[in-house]
Amino acid sequence: MGSGKMDGPSAPAIRRDPYEVLSVSRDSSDQEIKSAYRKLALKYHPDKNASNPEASELFKEVAFSYSILSDPEKRRQYDAAGFEALEHDAMDMEIDLSNLGTVNTMFAALFSKLGVPIKTSVSATVLEDALNGTVTIRPLPLGTSFSGKVDKQSAQFFGVTIDEQQAQSGIVIRVSSSAQSKFKLLYFEQETNGGYGLALQEDSEKTGKVTSAGMYFLHFQVYRMDSAVNALAMAKDPDAAFFKRLEGLQPCEVSELKPGTHIFAVYGDNFFKPASYAIEAMCANSYEDTSKELMEIEAQILAKRNYLRQFETEYRKALARFQEVTNRYSLEKQAVSFLLFFFLLIYLF
């Protein structure tokens, strides 16, 4: 795949194979790639390496590599043709708001208000505290809820304990904010050192008059709609915006939990103020009909997405053919006009 220079603020000066940068194989799963990225991002984060400019470049390279491998379409293009296939694509990076100055944060907040998707990452401080096991964990029994506030770029942790029967039935964790706060719902897995490593995250989405996020561990593949992916896909190709409305449907990486205590957190993702939220943990054994309906709806949406992709291919072929014919007609029309003008000159002179 070779290395080389690339323009753009989010690209490193020298490009290396993103699989090599993240130390993952080409057949790695999305979850393996995400885990590798988060460990390296934490290792090289500028907050932890203020006096090491080399770490800053490595952090940039890790983020750039992840922006390729975390996007199914970019990954497919890179696997097929290397960096050349991505030359004209913008490389999207997550930003750590805790690492931005006040002015930059204000600009990010303004763009977000205008509808520009701003991807944010969990601060290195929160990730490091979790990895060291120094966070305070509040028990959240199944069937209960908790309401609170979390400071911006901070997290509040919860422990959800489930038994064998509850694990088999399935678990749902939901967070909502009637104040329409921005937040992330995080899921951590226990590391060998006793700390917790970030495994999953869901950004809040505005639905009606609230913002909400959820994680569903139901023993079948559950999908979520990432509106940022939709917006970016439509922005890159406005002419095909109609076909991109379902591109944000992404599979959740974990579909089941084992018996034991599982760690979740609510992360404040507002730009300036604390996030108000309510979190609840539910067992799915009382919602079997709803689970079955969810499976059916997901199957229908996936079928519609495949149909849109197929229709887009046919549409582009037909459009290209139409443009070819109209161009030929235009050239022929110009040729006829030229001949008429030529014969007129001969007749006049």
Side-chain angles (χ1 to χ4, degrees):
M1 296 297 177
S3 64
K5 293 192 178 293
M6 181 171 183
D7 297 328
S10 58
I14 301 296
R15 298 177 302 181
R16 287 194 296 148
D17 180 1
Y19 292 101
E20 177 187 341
V21 173
L22 298 182
S23 299
V24 295
S25 63
R26 290 185 170 274
D27 58 355
S28 294
S29 67
D30 292 341
Q31 181 59 35
E32 290 171 332
I33 290 171
K34 183 173 290 187
S35 296
Y37 160 69
R38 284 174 175 153
K39 288 178 180 178
L40 290 172
L42 181 60
K43 179 179 179 181
Y44 297 122
H45 198 282
D47 283 355
K48 296 180 61 179
N49 301 274
S51 60
N52 185 0
E54 183 181 352
S56 178
E57 288 303 313
L58 288 171
F59 177 80
K60 189 176 182 180
E61 184 179 43
V62 166
F64 177 76
S65 298
Y66 180 68
S67 73
I68 296 173
L69 300 187
S70 63
D71 185 311
E73 180 61 19
K74 290 177 184 175
R75 184 179 181 183
R76 182 191 66 77
Q77 291 175 346
Y78 176 80
D79 288 345
F83 286 114
E84 289 75 13
L86 304 168
E87 288 292 344
H88 302 294
D89 276 353
M91 292 291 110
D92 311 306
M93 287 179 62
E94 293 183 346
I95 60 173
D96 181 355
L97 294 179
S98 65
N99 199 42
L100 291 182
T102 303
V103 174
N104 286 336
T105 302
M106 290 177 64
F107 275 113
L110 175 60
F111 282 120
S112 179
K113 282 287 186 182
L114 293 174
V116 178
I118 304 293
K119 291 185 178 181
T120 59
S121 63
V122 180
S123 76
T125 302
V126 169
L127 295 178
E128 188 171 14
D129 288 345
L131 208 54
N132 293 332
T134 58
V135 295
T136 300
I137 299 174
R138 178 193 300 269
L140 182 67
L142 283 180
T144 67
S145 62
F146 174 83
S147 298
K149 286 186 177 183
V150 58
D151 288 336
K152 59 185 179 71
Q153 288 82 64
S154 298
Q156 292 179 353
F157 289 76
F158 299 88
V160 178
T161 302
I162 59 176
D163 58 29
E164 183 71 39
Q165 184 178 357
Q166 292 165 337
Q168 288 296 323
S169 298
I171 303 298
V172 176
I173 308 296
R174 290 279 298 170
V175 182
S176 61
S177 172
S178 58
Q180 299 185 9
S181 297
K182 290 183 64 179
F183 59 85
K184 298 180 189 292
L185 173 58
L186 311 177
Y187 170 63
F188 291 82
E189 293 179 339
Q190 188 151 21
E191 301 287 338
T192 54
N193 67 346
Y196 306 99
L198 181 60
L200 297 174
Q201 75 175 47
E202 294 289 341
D203 289 9
S204 60
E205 297 276 354
K206 187 176 180 181
T207 52
K209 295 183 178 180
V210 302
T211 50
S212 62
M215 290 185 180
Y216 305 85
F217 307 94
L218 301 174
H219 297 279
F220 62 86
Q221 183 63 72
V222 176
Y223 290 79
R224 60 184 177 82
M225 184 63 76
D226 189 333
S227 60
V229 173
N230 282 351
L232 289 169
M234 290 188 283
K236 288 176 182 176
D237 192 356
D239 293 336
F242 172 78
F243 303 107
K244 305 299 182 183
R245 294 187 180 277
L246 296 180
E247 289 304 306
L249 194 67
Q250 304 289 324
C252 299
E253 292 91 339
V254 179
S255 59
E256 61 182 78
L257 296 178
K258 295 180 179 180
T261 299
H262 298 275
I263 307 303
F264 297 86
V266 180
Y267 178 81
D269 210 22
N270 280 337
F271 288 99
F272 296 107
K273 60 183 181 180
S276 302
Y277 70 91
I279 182 172
E280 58 181 335
M282 299 173 285
C283 183
N285 58 1
S286 303
Y287 302 92
E288 291 183 7
D289 292 341
T290 304
S291 297
K292 185 179 296 185
E293 186 178 2
L294 176 62
M295 290 180 66
E296 294 173 354
I297 292 173
E298 285 185 344
Q300 292 173 9
I301 295 176
L302 288 171
K304 292 296 184 183
R305 184 174 69 177
N306 290 334
Y307 173 76
L308 278 175
R309 287 174 174 174
Q310 180 181 356
F311 183 47
E312 180 184 7
T313 301
E314 296 172 355
Y315 166 79
R316 290 187 181 279
K317 287 181 179 178
L319 183 62
R321 178 60 177 163
F322 173 77
Q323 291 174 339
E324 179 186 346
V325 171
T326 54
N327 288 340
R328 189 191 312 156
Y329 171 78
S330 178
L331 290 173
E332 290 175 352
K333 186 177 180 181
Q334 290 177 13
V336 170
S337 298
F338 176 77
L339 287 174
L340 288 174
F341 179 71
F342 178 73
F343 286 125
L344 179 62
L345 289 176
I346 292 176
Y347 176 78
L348 292 174
F349 298 100

